[in-house]
């Protein structure tokens, strides 16, 4: 049995979450790295005796710093949170085959519920100042309930009609935030409301057990606000990943796959069509609701306009770029789609500061603002008009990525990985 | 009690729609007696808005007919077309060049250069549609339909960004010959743009209708039915795709031009919000049936009436139901309509086998 990865002798063996030891090892190592990522790891604190003549060991390398900058930690936290939402959409669209453009709407429902339950009331908004163990599950449950409410309409239509119905939800949802009760929950239009601090406490006014809104000391380590949040989101993201991956192999998950592959055939075989789709909507919305609440808690500010069509399409893009129907695809896709714009921005910022040499020449060729240049990127980050600013180039890049992946690699990054793996599996033969 | 009447044969959902329609008729009669001038003005605006929606919906239908998918980039194509016209008449040069627009010096009544410039904008819009189709849509012949729809979503974001940066998010005037003027019937002021929109919608509808009966139109219907089978019959599917996108892009341009005029916008200029006109026309085409030109016309009118009437007669409740509520009325109408008829009023029900 050993070293025969595709040989399964029992059903339990075949349906394991991580069938091979390589996968188990890689997953374990990956999770360990994720936990260590926010910290400065002291590797060599003193100059190493006898190696002091080597320039890099001369002063000792004080730390290995992965995400030392607070900004990068925040972006990585964002990836973790949005991964939860992407996993939810993957269950609905990738596994159950019900393509939804309304994911942002369900995230908005979750965010608003969280703000209503956990936020602090004032003259403009309602709030109950409840602790996180109420508002976070509450956000998920409220979104799931809304998912159940809309599913009778959503189940009646399929394919492109379903996409348009769910698209309608996004517009209706943004408008709900403008209505009189919506303004009480989501704050004044285009101003929004403050979101409560992230901390874990037993009841309303008690001292928090774990406070994630200031720097502190956990066990023996000094941790900053950002690091605390990162770890909290990481634990949640791992939990939801396991949940999503596990769901796919349960009876419900297999029913979803049957529905996706051919819903009439599935029904003939006794898979309940309506019930399965309803479950898919409810569970996917639950994921979305939790993620919506967390996204807002990360930014600290709730604005109903943010849960718009672009946000929804971002998740569709995540699935398509990562590889629809696969858990790892959803995770890789989230990382890719969220990080790429950040990298482009950072790169441009770095170029803008570059002077002379190769980087200076590149900066001259790409950025405008220098003398005699043919730049196509405006150095102002938010400026309007030609040449486009970095933010606008990022939107264009986002669209181009969607198109390029759909045309050339419909299975996404996961498909590329499969190709690479198969190449080495058969090496030196071509198949 | 109702069981023996024709109404008794309807499902509860259809009965609800019949009830809505009846309530609407009664409401109109009451308004016709109490304030006829306001009603006339509202009806005219509804027809105008419905006509704009119909034009854009026709574009959706044409592209759906050929490619079996929704073109989410219709809004950006509309703005791009309107921008071409704005370059030609407002800046006075041929789009993408610095050459002065020769059409402006033709002379004659002031509307002649404008109309000719519209044709020039249509020409550029056709080129844009053809380029977009060639690069992004043609490789997807025979691919899953939803992938094509997502590609158009990607196109929408690209084109919208380019549009916004080209217009620098300023208001760009289209210099329409009728300005913001109108004429009066009794006390009701009716804007000329309503009339123009309605005329354009009728012309577009007739053009599409005639096109369906041409050789190419029949080819398009065959492609809509089954791409592979059509190919086997010797139909050039790529050409049909191209024609559909060119025609769709031109219809979008007309919609985009009229989408800057009352009743859609009071400013008469292109602004970043103009692109949303396609997302507002989407409910119209879904309501009418994605593959039916008459459905587009009827759906556009229904949505137009619902939106303008709601905007006119519910405005006193705006503080409760939120400012800008007319904009989501199309979607509310669509959701109600879809529950009753999931494939639209004139749409072909999808026949599916195991």
């Amino acid at each position: 049995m050993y070293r025969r990865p595709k040989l399964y002798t029992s059903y339990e063996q075949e349906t394991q979450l991580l069938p091979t030891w390589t996968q188990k090892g890689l997953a374990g190592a990956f999770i360990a790295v994720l936990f260590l990522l926010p910290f400065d790891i002291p590797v060599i604190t003193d100059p190493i005796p006898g190696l002091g003549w080597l320039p890099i060991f001369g002063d000792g390398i004080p730390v290995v710093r992965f995400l030392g900058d607070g900004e990068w930690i925040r972006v990585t936290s964002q990836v973790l949170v949005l991964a939860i939402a992407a996993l939810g959409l993957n269950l609905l669209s990738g596994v159950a085959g019900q393509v939804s453009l309304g994911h942002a709407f369900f995230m908005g429902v979750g965010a608003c519920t969280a703000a209503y339950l956990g936020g602090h009331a004032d003259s403009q908004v309602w709030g109950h100042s409840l602790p996180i163990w109420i508002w976070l599950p509450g956000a998920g449950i409220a979104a799931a309930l809304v998912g159940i409410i809309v599913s009778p309409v959503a189940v009646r239509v399929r394919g492109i009609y379903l996409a348009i119905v769910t698209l309608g939800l996004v517009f209706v949802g943004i408008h709900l935030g403008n209505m009189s009760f919506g303004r009480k929950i989501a704050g004044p239009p285009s101003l929004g409301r403050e979101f409560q601090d992230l901390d874990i406490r037993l009841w309303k006014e008690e001292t928090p057990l774990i406070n994630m809104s200031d720097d502190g000391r956990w066990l023996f380590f000094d941790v900053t606000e950002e690091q605390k949040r990162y770890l909290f989101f990481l634990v949640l993201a791992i939990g939801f990943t396991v949940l999503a991956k596990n769901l796919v192999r349960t009876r419900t998950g297999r029913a979803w796959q049957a529905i996706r592959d051919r819903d009439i055939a599935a029904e003939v075989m006794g898979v309940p069509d309506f019930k399965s789709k309803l479950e898919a909507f409810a569970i996917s919305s639950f994921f979305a609701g939790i993620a919506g609440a967390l996204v807002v808690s990360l930014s600290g500010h709730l604005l109903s306009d943010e849960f718009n069509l672009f946000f929804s399409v971002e998740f569709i893009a995540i699935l398509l770029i990562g590889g629809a129907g696969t858990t790892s695809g959803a995770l890789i896709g989230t990382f890719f789609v969220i990080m790429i714009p950040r990298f482009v921005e950072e790169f441009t910022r770095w170029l803008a500061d570059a002077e002379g040499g190769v980087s200076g020449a590149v900066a001259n060729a790409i950025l405008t603002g220098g003398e005699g240049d043919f730049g196509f990127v405006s150095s102002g980050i938010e400026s309007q008009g030609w040449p486009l600013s970095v933010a606008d180039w990022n939107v264009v890049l986002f669209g181009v990525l969607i198109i390029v992946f759909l045309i050339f690699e419909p299975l996404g990054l996961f498909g590329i990985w499969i190709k690479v793996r198969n190449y080495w599996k058969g090496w030196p033969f071509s198949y | 009690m109702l069981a023996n009447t024709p109404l008794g044969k309807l499902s509860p959902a259809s009965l609800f729609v019949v009830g809505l329609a009846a309530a609407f008729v009664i409401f109109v009669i009451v308004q016709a007696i109490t304030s006829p001038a306001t009603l006339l003005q509202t009806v005219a605006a509804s027809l105008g808005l419905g006509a704009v929606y119909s034009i854009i919906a026709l574009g959706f239908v044409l592209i759906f007919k050929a490619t079996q998918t929704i073109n989410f980039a219709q809004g950006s194509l509309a703005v791009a077309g309107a921008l071409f016209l704005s370059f030609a008449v407002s800046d006075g040069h041929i789009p993408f060049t610095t050459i002065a627009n020769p059409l402006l010096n033709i002379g004659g009544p002031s509307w002649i250069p404008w109309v000719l410039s519209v044709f020039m904008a249509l020409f550029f819009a056709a080129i844009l549609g053809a380029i977009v189709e060639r690069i992004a849509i043609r490789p997807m012949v025979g691919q899953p339909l939803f992938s094509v729809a997502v590609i158009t979503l990607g196109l929408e974001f690209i084109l919208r960004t380019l549009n916004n940066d080209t217009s620098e998010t300023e208001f760009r005037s289209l210099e329409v010959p009728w300005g913001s003027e109108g004429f009066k019937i009794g006390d009701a002021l009716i804007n000329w743009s309503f009339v123009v929109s309605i005329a354009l919608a009728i012309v577009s509808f007739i053009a599409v209708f005639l096109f369906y009966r041409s050789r190419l139109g029949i080819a398009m219907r065959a492609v809509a039915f089954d791409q592979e089978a059509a190919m086997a019959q010797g139909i050039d599917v790529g050409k049909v795709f191209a024609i559909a996108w060119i025609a769709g892009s031109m219809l979008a341009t007309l919609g985009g031009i009229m989408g800057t005029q009352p009743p859609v916008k009071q400013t008469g200029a292109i602004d970043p919000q103009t692109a949303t006109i396609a997302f507002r026309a989407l409910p119209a085409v879904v309501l009418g049936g994605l593959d039916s030109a008459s459905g587009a016309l009827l759906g556009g009118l229904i949505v137009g009436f619902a939106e303008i009437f709601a905007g006119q007669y519910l405005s006193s409740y705006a503080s409760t139901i939120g400012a800008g509520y007319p904009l989501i009325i199309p979607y509310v109408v669509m959701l109600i309509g879809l529950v009753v008829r999931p494939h639209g009023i004139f749409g072909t029900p999808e026949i599916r086998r195991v």
Side-chain angles (χ1 to χ4, degrees), chain A residues 387-404:
Chain A
L388 304 190
S389 64
V390 181
D392 287 348
W393 272 119
N394 271 330
V395 181
V396 173
L397 183 69
F398 173 71
V400 170
L401 276 179
I402 294 179
I403 295 174
V404 165

Side-chain angles (χ1 to χ4, degrees), chain B residues 32-215:
Chain B
I33 297 165
T34 50
S35 58
T38 320
L39 180 71
L40 186 61
Q41 209 166 312
T42 315
V43 168
S46 308
L47 284 172
L49 184 65
V52 177
Y53 284 162
S54 299
I55 297 170
I56 292 179
L58 275 175
F60 276 121
V61 167
L62 265 183
I63 290 179
F64 186 84
K65 268 283 197 191
T67 60
Q68 288 286 295
T69 192
I70 282 284
N71 171 21
F72 286 109
Q74 197 81 344
S76 298
L77 287 176
V79 175
L83 276 174
F84 292 147
L85 180 64
S86 159
F87 284 134
V89 295
S90 179
D91 298 3
H93 59 75
I94 298 175
F96 302 115
T97 64
T98 47
I99 306 164
N101 181 6
L103 300 171
L104 292 179
N105 306 324
I106 277 188
S110 62
W111 55 268
I112 287 183
W114 189 82
V115 171
L116 291 175
S117 301
V118 169
F119 280 106
M120 188 163 81
L122 285 177
F123 173 71
F124 277 99
I127 293 177
L128 178 67
I131 293 174
V132 162
E133 190 274 335
R134 193 67 194 84
I135 294 175
I137 309 296
R138 189 76 63 86
M140 303 300 286
V141 172
Q143 294 289 313
L145 300 171
F146 192 78
S147 309
V148 188
V150 175
I151 282 202
T152 63
L153 268 174
L155 278 174
E156 159 77 13
F157 288 117
I158 297 174
L159 287 175
R160 182 189 288 183
T161 314
L162 298 183
N163 281 337
N164 282 348
D165 278 285
T166 308
S167 62
E168 307 203 339
T169 58
E170 283 167 8
F171 285 15
R172 288 187 73 96
S173 167
L174 289 179
E175 314 276 340
V176 289
W178 60 87
S180 54
E181 283 159 39
F183 59 93
K184 280 203 158 184
I185 301 179
D187 288 334
L189 179 72
I190 292 167
N191 204 304
W192 278 113
S193 64
F194 302 172
V195 182
V196 177
S197 299
I198 295 166
L200 275 179
I202 293 170
V203 169
S204 318
F205 180 72
I206 292 173
V208 170
F209 189 77
L210 291 178
F211 172 70
Y212 275 174
R213 265 139 199 81
S214 72
R215 202 177 158 75

